[in-house]
Every structure is written in C-alpha cells, then in structure tokens.
Amino acid sequence: MSPPVPIRTSPLDTALACAFLGAMVVERLGAAAGLRTGIPLALALSAAVAGPLAVRRTLPLAGYLIGSAALSAEALFVLPSPLTPYANLIGLYSLGLYATRRRAWLGPFAALLGMAAYFADFGHAYPVIPAGVLFFWLLGWAFGYGAARRAEERDAARSLLRQRVVAEERARLARELHDLVGHTVNVMLIQAGAARRLLDREPDRTRELLSGLEHTGREALDDLDRVLGLLRRSAGAPEQGGPDGRTDPADRTGPADDEPLLQPGLADLGRLTGRIGQAGIRVTVRVDPAARQVPRSIDVSAYRIVQEALTNTVKHAQAGSADVTVQCAGGALDIEVCDDGRGAAPGYAPGRGLLGIAERVSVLGGSVEHERGERGGFRLHAVLPIP
C-alpha cells in the first residue's frame, strides 16, 4: 500500500483562508444575538467555508464542494453571513482555474444548488437579485475556466514546438552523420577495392591508394570526433578527465567549448573532389566566385548537396567522370552535378541521400530535381535562395 500523498498549500492561500476566517469569526460574534443556533456551530461552519481556500489549487473540487455545503448549512440553519458568499466565489473561480476539464464543469451545478440554499429564507420579492448574483458567480467560474483552457493550449503548443524541434534536430543529425559516414565509407571502399586489384601489377599505385585510404580515414575520424563532441556537450555529458576530474587541453579531441563545429563549405570542394578522384572518378568543378560570398548556412548546405551527389556517383553510377557547377543567378545559388554513369533506372525511388538533400533544400526554401541526364548518366539540380 503506497503512502498517502501529502496535501500541499501555498503561503498565499493559507493567508487568504486565515483572513476570511478571522473576518467571519468577528462577524459571527457580532451577530450572535440573531443566530438560530449557538456560536460553536456557527464558527465551525465558518471554518468549513474558509478552510478549503487553503487547498484551492491542489484540491479545488473537494474544497469547493465542502465550502458550498457549509454555506448551504449556514444559510438554512444558522444565519446567512454577508462574507461567506465571497469565499465561495473564490472557491468557484479556483475550481474553474485549477481543476481538470471534467471536474471543473461540476462547478456551475454546485453553484446553482448553493445559491438556492442561500436565498431560500430571504423571500425576495425581486427574483432578479438571486439571478444576478448567480450570473456573477458563473462569470467568475467562466473566467477561471477560460484561463485554464488558454494555459492548456499554450502548454500544448509549447510541447508540440519542442517535439518539432527535437524531430528537426534528429533529422539534421541524421543528415550530417549520413553525409559524413556514408560518403567517406563509400570512397574508402572504392579505394580499397582498387588497391586490391592493383596490388600485384602496380605496387606504386597501390601504395598511393592505400596512403589516400589512410588519409581519408583520418579525416573522417576527425570530423566524426567533432560531431560526437558537440553531441556530448549538447547532452550535458561531462568531459573525460584524469583521476582528479580535470581535463588536459592537450588530450581534448573535440572542439573547445567556445569553438564552433567546423563545417565544410564550397571552399573545401577541392579536398572533396580529391578524395573522389582517388576513387577513380574524374571530377570537374566550376564555382562562380560570387558563390563564395553566400551566407554560411547556404555555403555548408551547398557543399553537403555536392558531397551527397558525388557519393551517389561513386556508389551507384559506375561513372568515369562528373561535372559540378555552382553559380549565382537571379538571387539564388544554382547547383548542378552531372555524371556519365549508367543513370537512374525507370521508376526509381529516391534513397536516404536524395531525401536528405530534399530536406536540406526545403529548410532553405529552395527546390531540387534529379533525373536522367540529357547525355546519359544522372543529373541533380538544386536551387537555394540567397536572402
């Protein structure tokens, strides 16, 4: 059996309940001569009306029902107090504000019963008076209920926004890791296969391929280490250190806390095409000088688009050459990658690489198309607006 959950009260609500109780006690003692019963019962009912205000946030429904029952008993058997209805009004407002949606709707019905009991012995010749009081009580409940629903909508919107941000971040990380690992592994596989075929016939060429393979692997490890270092700090993971918990800067493999994650751009296309060339594909690159002045986000995305397109050339196209053209035209960065490979099969479905390119382009408000080239092979064309 689990222990009971303690009932928590706030100092403000406790002070509110004590203030109402003190005022009610003074009023009851002043009206002692006109009470139908003794002072003890009158004070007990006053405590039952004021006391639930202390738990109006944690137990709004139970508190309001107890207060309404005490108000009805006071009006029917003791003497209606001029202060009791205002405590009841605060309880009704709190019920609309703090109770669940289903429980809050019990408030108007309980208020109707309480008002009927409160005005039962008054014998009003003008029924508009209790009707007007009931209207204001229901208006108080409606204010609380409306505020609660607006708060729920804000919380739901914030939760949806958090989920969307997490999903976008996961997609971004998936694209980055796919571009990094997928491209490098494919190039390394091509280099390893070429080295194996040339091992006996051209040892010098094999040595060159193996050296390039080692260099490509080291670059990939450095890039991967930077990405993982950023992820560790984003997740709040502590740095690895010595027995005293301190980290020697010389042992740090990722970027420093104030160092941005180094992302390649169009200026790094030469290094990229060099790796592709080691895999046996001749790549011709033409970059408009104005394209090197684009914002950093577009610069990085353009590099990643070219990288993924060339990775697909290495992996799928069986091509001997590829052409990369990047130029600024009409307020946009125009990217085209064509190869002379076997091209796409009719009715092909885009894989993760092409879907990642489409996501990158969509985030920047651009467009992308991919198809069989006019002279065979495969053609990818992306347009990124320049803000």
Side-chain angles (χ1 to χ4, degrees):
M1 183 177 179
S2 59
V5 179
I7 299 175
R8 296 183 175 88
T9 61
S10 72
L12 180 61
D13 291 340
T14 302
L16 179 65
C18 292
F20 261 101
L21 180 59
M24 290 178 185
V25 169
V26 172
E27 189 277 329
R28 293 285 88 176
L29 292 176
L35 299 180
R36 301 171 192 163
T37 60
I39 287 294
L41 178 59
L43 296 182
L45 291 176
S46 296
V49 172
L53 294 180
V55 293
R56 67 190 186 94
R57 302 173 195 265
T58 54
L59 297 173
L61 178 60
Y64 180 69
L65 292 179
I66 292 173
S68 294
L71 177 145
S72 301
E74 181 185 72
L76 292 173
F77 305 114
V78 183
L79 181 69
S81 169
L83 298 176
T84 304
Y86 297 104
N88 186 260
L89 174 60
I90 295 177
L92 184 60
Y93 168 80
S94 302
L95 176 61
L97 182 61
Y98 299 115
T100 62
R101 187 184 297 261
R102 180 178 299 178
R103 292 186 175 187
W105 273 102
L106 296 176
F109 301 100
L112 180 61
L113 296 176
M115 287 294 168
Y118 185 81
F119 288 106
D121 286 347
F122 274 70
H124 277 292
Y126 304 100
V128 70
I129 295 178
V133 172
L134 178 61
F135 170 77
F136 281 107
W137 255 240
L138 294 181
L139 189 61
W141 172 87
F143 273 119
Y145 186 83
R149 303 294 77 80
R150 288 191 295 272
E152 286 180 357
E153 292 175 358
R154 288 194 299 268
D155 291 341
R158 282 195 292 265
S159 177
L160 182 61
L161 179 60
R162 284 194 296 268
Q163 294 175 7
R164 186 178 303 166
V165 169
V166 170
E168 290 176 353
E169 183 65 10
R170 286 178 177 174
R172 186 185 71 84
L173 293 176
R175 289 195 302 268
E176 294 295 334
L177 291 176
H178 177 272
D179 292 343
L180 172 64
V181 178
H183 165 76
T184 305
V185 169
N186 278 289
V187 171
M188 292 174 67
L189 287 175
I190 296 297
Q191 290 175 326
R196 177 180 56 80
R197 291 191 296 271
L198 298 174
L199 180 62
D200 296 328
R201 292 178 294 149
E202 300 183 35
D204 292 339
R205 175 60 177 160
T206 301
R207 189 177 296 109
E208 180 183 344
L209 287 171
L210 291 176
S211 177
L213 179 63
E214 180 183 9
H215 182 69
T216 300
R218 290 185 182 278
E219 286 186 346
L221 284 177
D222 290 341
D223 291 341
L224 184 60
D225 188 62
R226 282 194 290 268
V227 173
L228 294 179
L230 178 65
L231 291 178
R232 284 179 60 82
R233 286 195 304 279
S234 298
E239 294 280 356
Q240 297 291 336
D244 60 353
R246 292 179 295 178
T247 303
D248 188 347
D251 296 334
R252 202 187 295 267
T253 55
D257 288 343
D258 57 350
E259 177 186 350
L261 180 64
L262 300 178
Q263 292 274 29
L266 293 174
D268 301 294
L269 285 181
R271 185 162 59 96
L272 172 65
T273 56
R275 289 201 299 262
I276 299 295
Q278 291 175 349
I281 298 177
R282 298 182 305 277
V283 182
T284 302
V285 179
R286 291 181 291 274
V287 179
D288 185 351
R292 302 185 185 277
Q293 306 300 321
V294 298
R296 183 60 178 162
S297 59
I298 297 178
D299 187 43
V300 172
S301 295
Y303 175 90
R304 291 303 189 190
I305 290 170
V306 173
Q307 182 188 50
E308 181 56 37
L310 292 177
T311 299
N312 287 340
T313 298
V314 171
K315 186 176 180 181
H316 303 294
Q318 298 180 357
S321 64
D323 295 322
V324 177
T325 303
V326 182
Q327 59 184 350
C328 291
L333 189 68
D334 192 277
I335 306 167
E336 185 177 70
V337 181
C338 302
D339 62 56
D340 61 355
R342 61 184 180 180
Y348 75 98
R352 283 191 294 271
L354 291 176
L355 292 177
I357 291 177
E359 290 175 355
R360 286 185 183 277
V361 172
S362 176
V363 168
L364 296 173
S367 61
V368 62
E369 58 183 11
H370 37 80
E371 58 189 357
R372 188 176 182 86
E374 295 179 358
R375 294 174 296 178
F378 193 80
R379 172 181 176 269
L380 183 137
H381 180 225
V383 178
L384 305 179
I386 301 174

